[in-house]
Amino acid sequence: MAKDFRFGVSIRYFKSRAALVETARRAEDLGYDILCVPDHLGAAAPFPTLTAAAMVTERIRLSMYVLNAAFYKPALLSRDIGALDLLSDGRLEVGLGTGYVREEFEAAELPYPSAGARVDYLEHMAVYLKEHHSGVPIMVAGSGDRVMTLAARHADIVALTGARVRDVDDPVAERIAFVRDAAGDRFNSLELNLVITAVPRKGEAIPDLSLTRRNAPDLSDEQLLAMHSVLSGSPAEMAETLSNYRDKYGISHFTVQDNHIGTFADVMAQLR
């Protein structure tokens, strides 16, 4: 049986408390299920931003897309998670990733571990948080084999980054098949997420590809437009694309950027 759709919106920057309040309330009023914040130096700080959003909303869930696990010690992060879950009346979900921007580690005066060490630490963090916060859903995001394996074994939500990680005809199908094998009996209980990096402006059919290109700078426009994380067409056509993703791949959870908050609401309306 297909899972119900869930839609998230990610806030990276805001200029004032009033602007954040307006966005959080608008997201809730438009029917978004989750408000999330990424974890990058130079952008909004996840915990104070989500705490402020919790104080001015009632229904929308709160998450991170995603925390850089290597920035935190498990017990200290666990304390903040517990407080925010309490203050939001149990609306918290937690997103975790390995962290990948070397310059941010350097700016934070932290060593930049090897890829393998960062994956090991992510698994340590995920296991610790599941043990201490059994009621808080955990998302793990990534694309590589080791991250997808630990997500399959420990997470409640598996987030696919949307990047081309292998030279295969359908990279999303390949990654989901990998997760299915790694998850075994627990696969059917997993929620699959895909981040959407480009959505057309209202009245247009082709999206702005600047964010997508930042993560895949070597691809042509044609290749970027073919990525699963890029939507094109009318709201009805985009809704059909997402419905097909759910039917074909089992992906039912989609996250868009806050500059798409209004245009994507028309897509959500087609699916509910």
Side-chain angles (χ1 to χ4, degrees):
M1 181 177 179
K3 292 181 172 62
D4 291 340
F5 282 112
R6 290 210 303 159
F7 301 106
V9 60
S10 177
I11 297 178
R12 184 177 291 261
Y13 306 105
F14 57 90
K15 294 182 178 180
S16 65
R17 179 185 182 278
L20 173 62
V21 169
E22 180 183 5
T23 300
R25 287 177 171 165
R26 186 183 181 201
E28 185 166 75
D29 290 343
L30 287 172
Y32 283 90
D33 300 287
I34 310 150
L35 183 73
C36 56
V37 179
D39 188 15
H40 292 289
L41 294 185
F47 279 94
T49 300
L50 291 170
T51 300
M55 298 297 97
V56 297
T57 57
E58 296 179 355
R59 301 177 304 280
I60 196 166
R61 296 184 67 79
L62 307 163
S63 188
M64 309 89 181
Y65 204 119
V66 288
L67 291 178
N68 179 345
F71 278 178
Y72 306 90
K73 293 296 184 182
L76 300 180
L77 180 57
S78 177
R79 178 184 63 179
D80 289 351
I81 286 169
L84 181 50
D85 191 47
L86 179 67
L87 292 170
S88 65
D89 292 326
R91 288 185 281 149
L92 184 63
E93 302 180 8
V94 175
L96 298 172
T98 60
Y100 60 92
V101 183
R102 179 188 291 271
E103 292 78 10
E104 292 185 10
F105 283 81
E106 293 171 351
E109 300 183 8
L110 293 171
Y112 184 63
S114 68
R118 283 180 281 129
V119 175
D120 289 342
Y121 192 77
L122 174 60
E123 182 164 28
H124 171 59
M125 181 69 80
V127 170
Y128 184 98
L129 294 180
K130 288 298 292 185
E131 289 176 350
H132 289 78
H133 300 281
S134 59
V136 177
I138 300 291
M139 168 194 283
V140 171
S143 58
D145 287 357
R146 290 195 62 208
V147 173
M148 291 289 92
T149 297
L150 77 88
R153 293 174 178 172
H154 303 296
D156 303 290
I157 306 162
V158 178
L160 306 163
T161 62
R164 290 181 180 271
V165 294
R166 280 164 174 74
D167 186 17
V168 296
D169 290 338
D170 192 334
V172 169
E174 188 273 339
R175 288 290 80 190
I176 293 174
F178 184 92
V179 170
R180 182 187 297 273
D181 288 343
D185 292 343
R186 71 188 305 267
F187 179 78
N188 289 338
S189 69
L190 298 177
E191 182 180 51
L192 301 179
N193 167 274
L194 181 68
V195 63
I196 302 297
T197 59
V199 174
R201 294 185 179 93
K202 190 177 292 290
E204 298 181 2
I206 303 300
D208 177 2
L209 296 170
S210 55
L211 178 59
T212 313
R213 183 174 288 108
R214 191 183 310 167
N215 296 321
D218 298 328
L219 299 185
S220 67
D221 284 1
E222 183 179 7
Q223 289 172 314
L224 294 176
L225 287 169
M227 292 177 69
H228 292 82
S229 59
V230 173
L231 297 180
S232 301
S234 67
E237 289 169 329
M238 290 186 280
E240 183 178 7
T241 295
L242 298 186
S243 183
N244 289 338
Y245 285 177
R246 186 173 67 170
D247 293 343
K248 182 176 182 179
Y249 304 120
I251 302 172
S252 58
H253 180 181
F254 299 92
T255 304
V256 300
Q257 313 309 303
D258 59 344
N259 58 313
H260 303 143
I261 189 171
T263 54
F264 192 76
D266 294 336
V267 180
M268 294 194 304
Q270 301 272 339
L271 296 167
R272 287 176 163 164

